[in-house]
């Protein structure tokens, strides 16, 4: 069965998955989406905790976009690739991230990626996505609008995401980690290289 049907996603949508705690900055995303003012698109928010749902629902109501914001809550891991792939873009407004695995997941399926210009996110996205500042939601709104309106730009972002995702793999991560340990232990320098 189609994952979008399962979650009753019938309109084009922007997607976010992750926690809903303060540092994730989800209200900023809601503000930017509300300013988009389009009744033909949804903002789909997955993740978070059930006790956080009423707070975001109330904010969406206050911003006048409650009918276009879908608070999915927990989504099984198996559904995520299809939700990323079906989105107009994955949007990550987090103020602080150690890494940002969701950015890699989105890029791996060719989902356009928009990330906050904060901590590790621009480095993770690299040239695989677009960044926005967190000083004013209207800058993100402009990016959302461009993704929604410009099919060529959206396709370019898809290609950039797929290309960038090639830089991330568990095998490559393991190889680079081993290389760091070898350097730290001086194994190569001692001629103990096998």
């Amino acid at each position: 069965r189609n994952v979008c049907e399962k979650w009753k996603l019938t309109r084009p949508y922007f997607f976010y998955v992750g926690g809903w705690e303060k540092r994730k900055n989800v209200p900023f995303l809601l503000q930017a989406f509300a300013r988009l003012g389009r009744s033909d698109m949804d903002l789909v928010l997955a993740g978070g905790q059930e006790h956080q749902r009423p707070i975001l629902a109330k904010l969406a109501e206050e911003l006048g976009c409650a009918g276009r914001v879908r608070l999915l809550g927990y989504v099984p891991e198996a559904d995520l690739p299809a939700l990323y792939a079906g989105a107009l873009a994955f949007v990550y407004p987090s103020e602080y991230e150690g890494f940002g695995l969701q950015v890699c997941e989105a890029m791996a399926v060719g989902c356009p990626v928009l990330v906050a210009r904060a901590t590790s996110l621009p480095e993770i996205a690299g040239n695989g996505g677009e960044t926005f500042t967190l000083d004013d939601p209207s800058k993100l709104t402009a990016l959302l609008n461009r993704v929604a309106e410009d099919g060529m730009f959206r396709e370019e972002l898809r290609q950039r995401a797929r290309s960038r995702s090639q830089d991330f793999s568990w095998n490559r991560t393991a190889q680079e980690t081993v290389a760091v340990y070898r350097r730290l232990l001086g194994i190569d320098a001692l001629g103990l290289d096998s």
Side-chain angles (χ1 to χ4, degrees):
R1 180 165 97 132
N2 183 298
V3 172
C4 287
E5 284 177 20
K6 172 184 173 180
W7 291 98
K8 298 178 177 61
L9 303 177
T10 57
R11 294 187 287 222
Y13 62 92
F14 292 99
F15 186 54
Y16 167 86
V17 61
W20 295 350
E21 63 269 21
K22 186 178 185 316
R23 75 178 172 90
K24 296 294 190 172
N25 210 16
V26 177
F28 181 89
L29 175 53
L30 278 168
Q31 291 166 7
F33 179 74
R35 291 178 183 198
L36 193 59
R38 295 188 58 146
S39 59
D40 60 336
M41 294 181 179
D42 290 335
L43 174 61
V44 176
L45 304 175
Q49 301 290 320
E50 199 53 41
H51 71 273
Q52 297 165 316
R53 181 185 298 267
I55 297 163
L56 292 180
K58 182 175 187 280
L59 178 58
E61 188 72 42
E62 290 168 0
L63 293 168
C65 61
R68 298 178 291 125
V69 174
R70 302 287 312 281
L71 301 170
L72 302 187
Y74 172 77
V75 170
E77 197 76 29
D79 288 359
L80 288 175
L83 291 174
Y84 284 122
L88 290 165
F90 172 69
V91 189
Y92 213 50
S94 184
E95 294 174 327
Y96 174 78
E97 286 302 318
F99 182 72
L101 184 61
Q102 295 92 330
V103 177
C104 293
E105 291 173 342
M107 291 189 301
V109 298
C111 179
V113 168
L114 309 176
V115 300
R117 207 171 295 148
T119 65
S120 68
L121 295 175
E123 183 181 346
I124 300 304
N127 61 0
E130 291 288 320
T131 63
F132 54 89
T133 60
L134 293 174
D135 59 343
D136 180 359
S138 65
K139 294 174 182 174
L140 175 53
T141 303
L143 257 181
L144 295 175
N145 190 56
R146 184 169 178 206
V147 168
E149 294 288 327
D150 187 343
M152 287 179 65
F153 178 61
R154 205 164 50 245
E155 186 54 35
E156 175 198 324
L157 284 178
R158 286 187 198 289
Q159 297 301 325
R160 286 167 48 190
R162 280 190 195 99
S163 176
R164 174 66 173 154
S165 75
Q166 301 305 306
D167 294 340
F168 298 96
S169 74
W170 289 117
N171 187 38
R172 181 174 176 173
T173 300
Q175 290 173 351
E176 290 178 6
T177 301
V178 168
V180 168
Y181 282 126
R182 292 175 75 89
R183 275 196 308 278
L184 289 173
L185 296 171
I187 291 173
D188 295 333
L190 297 174
L192 301 174
D193 206 2
S194 53

